[in-house]
Amino acid sequence: MILFENILLALQTLKANPLRSILILTGMAVGIAAVLHVVALGEVTQRRINKRLAGLGSNVLQIRPNYSRRRGVRTDTSVVSLKWEEAKELADHSEVITATVPLYSGSKGVQFRDKNWNTRITGTTPEYESVNNEHLIEGRFFNQDELNRRSRVSVLGATVHEKLFGDRSPVGETILITGKRYRVVGTLKAKGESWRSPDDQIFIPLTTAQQRLFGTKHVASILAQIRSADDYDEALFEIETTLRRNHRIHPEHENDFRVRRQDFFLATIKDANKELGQFIMVIALVSLVVGGIGIANVMLISVTERIREIGTRRAIGAKKIHILTQFMTESIILGLLGGLLGIVGGIAFNQYRIGEGMILPMEWIAYSFIICAGIGTVAGIYPALRAANKNVIDALRYE
């Protein structure tokens, strides 16, 4: 009952000084809204990164040629060092590498009737579909027989599908790549934007790409799927041992290839986003501290203005704990109202700026209330103690 009366008294005090209340609540609301916006941005980024990671295949290492060096200086020309046979060797002799996929890519113009598009043509093997988590929306991926026969068949990424065929089905149609006819056997589900659009490319058999299209014998990269993330060090050791031996690299010389997780770039983006979020979070917390100082200031003014009221209450029987509780309740109410405004404002701002529905984790809404209640409690301790310790006689004589 006393708590309910204290809450009513606190609301009446806020109503009696609307401008002062609005100013102090605004400070708290801005701080909470900023915190929730940072949390929402982090949640959205995490969801997008997880989606990209799922699309890159699980536990996949990428082996690429290293840069050449001239007189100790790295040049921009990559070394032609990787071969398809090495991909087969790694898969056949390793216990931790479960599959390997060679790749060779190059940009070419493609045509279907009166429509033209310049895209990336990627030669690979049928295992690419499973290793890289590709999902067909129509047709099929090319098979081993087509790989062996250097068949002119193709699987279209989502962007190429849209640019050449629009909404219609391309399966069974024939496209032209550098004037040669390629039959479309399947189309892939879109993976979304990334640092290198995975949807803007066409997949053809590696043998066709090497011998009919690009005229090369090496591969640009090798994807190696490992048994689990715990096998990374062992897989790296086996890859380095095999390739250094095949390339006859002297022990004192560095590798002419490099190995890294395929999700390396996304992990880097994730780390950078985390650091940026922490920086913004510090700024938001500073805003909350300023809001807390504002609450303390308002409560001190309130105590000064109500000294005679405090004296009257003490004279008719109120104890120190009652005065203390009254002012502590007012301070906590200020903090909670500021938090409530910040939550509403934060959700509305996130919906306007980010969209994607309700993306704010519910636990952070609870955390916001707890943080605001904590700030209100800390900010109200000194003013409440000052009010509770007022001498009754002095308070009644106060003008």
Side-chain angles (χ1 to χ4, degrees):
M1 190 65 183
I2 294 176
L3 178 62
F4 181 71
E5 291 176 355
N6 286 336
I7 293 174
L8 285 180
L9 279 173
L11 294 176
Q12 288 172 0
T13 304
L14 290 175
K15 187 178 178 182
N17 300 281
L19 181 59
R20 192 170 67 190
S21 302
I22 290 172
L23 289 176
I24 194 61
L25 292 179
T26 300
M28 291 292 296
V30 168
I32 287 296
V35 170
L36 296 182
H37 186 57
V38 171
V39 172
L41 282 177
E43 182 71 16
V44 169
T45 304
Q46 186 63 47
R47 289 184 188 183
R48 290 174 179 172
I49 287 175
N50 289 341
K51 186 177 179 181
R52 301 290 188 276
L53 288 175
L56 288 175
S58 57
N59 301 322
V60 176
L61 305 180
Q62 187 181 52
I63 308 167
R64 297 182 65 85
N66 208 350
Y67 291 95
S68 61
R69 290 181 179 274
R70 291 179 181 176
R71 298 177 181 176
V73 179
R74 195 182 81 170
T75 69
D76 292 332
T77 305
S78 60
V79 176
V80 179
S81 58
L82 298 178
K83 295 183 172 59
W84 185 6
E85 291 73 18
E86 292 174 324
K88 294 177 182 175
E89 183 180 355
L90 288 171
D92 291 342
H93 297 93
S94 173
E95 293 184 359
V96 296
I97 298 175
T98 56
T100 56
V101 176
L103 298 161
Y104 190 90
S105 298
S107 294
K108 295 289 182 182
V110 295
Q111 180 181 0
F112 175 71
R113 295 178 182 172
D114 61 338
K115 295 184 178 179
N116 295 277
W117 184 249
N118 194 64
T119 187
R120 190 167 74 253
I121 311 296
T122 298
T124 185
T125 58
E127 290 79 13
Y128 182 88
E129 180 187 1
S130 59
V131 170
N132 215 48
N133 277 349
E134 297 290 348
H135 297 283
L136 289 159
I137 59 173
E138 191 177 9
R140 60 177 176 81
F141 215 77
F142 52 80
N143 55 39
Q144 188 64 38
D145 182 56
E146 290 165 333
L147 177 71
N148 296 337
R149 291 190 290 108
R150 298 179 298 162
S151 299
R152 289 196 175 100
V153 291
S154 63
V155 179
L156 306 187
T159 300
V160 181
H161 177 189
E162 179 192 353
K163 295 296 180 182
L164 295 183
F165 294 92
D167 296 331
R168 60 175 293 189
S169 170
V171 176
E173 299 286 357
T174 300
I175 61 174
L176 297 178
I177 303 177
T178 61
K180 301 295 183 183
R181 297 164 63 87
Y182 285 75
R183 181 166 53 88
V184 179
V185 296
T187 59
L188 296 175
K189 183 180 178 182
K191 285 192 168 185
E193 293 297 324
S194 185
W195 66 89
R196 189 177 185 182
S197 175
D199 300 322
D200 191 6
Q201 61 181 325
I202 297 174
F203 295 95
I204 63 176
L206 181 64
T207 50
T208 309
Q210 287 183 316
Q211 299 174 34
R212 293 181 182 273
L213 194 60
F214 297 110
T216 183
K217 293 183 179 179
H218 67 276
V219 297
S221 63
I222 297 172
L223 299 181
Q225 187 173 50
I226 58 178
R227 192 171 50 190
S228 73
D230 296 334
D231 296 323
Y232 174 78
D233 291 337
E234 186 174 351
L236 184 61
F237 174 77
E238 291 185 354
I239 291 170
E240 288 191 339
T241 302
T242 302
L243 296 186
R244 286 183 68 88
R245 183 189 65 235
N246 291 352
H247 299 176
R248 299 178 181 177
I249 299 174
H250 193 275
E252 296 179 354
H253 293 166
E254 63 181 36
N255 296 336
D256 63 351
F257 57 89
R258 46 201 163 107
V259 183
R260 64 187 173 199
R261 293 178 66 101
Q262 196 173 215
D263 54 5
F264 173 79
F265 291 112
L266 288 175
T268 303
I269 294 172
K270 185 177 178 181
D271 291 341
N273 181 70
K274 184 179 179 180
E275 291 180 5
L276 180 62
Q278 290 172 344
F279 175 72
I280 298 175
M281 188 72 81
V282 169
I283 296 175
L285 290 176
V286 169
S287 176
L288 288 176
V289 170
V290 173
I293 294 172
I295 290 178
N297 189 39
V298 167
M299 293 305 300
L300 285 172
I301 295 173
S302 179
V303 169
T304 303
E305 292 175 344
R306 295 157 65 188
I307 289 180
R308 286 184 64 82
E309 174 192 330
I310 295 169
T312 304
R313 290 196 64 191
R314 291 295 308 278
I316 61 176
K319 298 180 180 178
K320 284 187 177 181
I321 187 66
H322 296 145
I323 304 300
L324 184 74
T325 306
Q326 177 189 344
F327 283 93
M328 286 297 298
T329 303
E330 288 186 18
S331 181
I332 294 172
I333 290 291
L334 273 172
L336 289 176
L337 284 177
L340 181 62
L341 286 176
I343 291 169
V344 173
I347 291 174
F349 185 71
N350 290 339
Q351 186 66 32
Y352 171 72
R353 292 285 300 172
I354 304 175
E356 301 194 15
M358 181 63 183
I359 56 174
L360 196 62
M362 292 302 293
E363 60 265 29
W364 268 98
I365 293 179
Y367 293 157
S368 299
F369 274 116
I370 294 172
I371 291 171
C372 290
I375 291 174
T377 301
V378 173
I381 289 176
Y382 176 69
L385 286 173
R386 188 176 178 183
N389 291 323
K390 284 290 180 187
N391 181 278
V392 179
I393 303 300
D394 292 341
L396 289 172
R397 289 178 176 173
Y398 185 79
E399 295 293 337

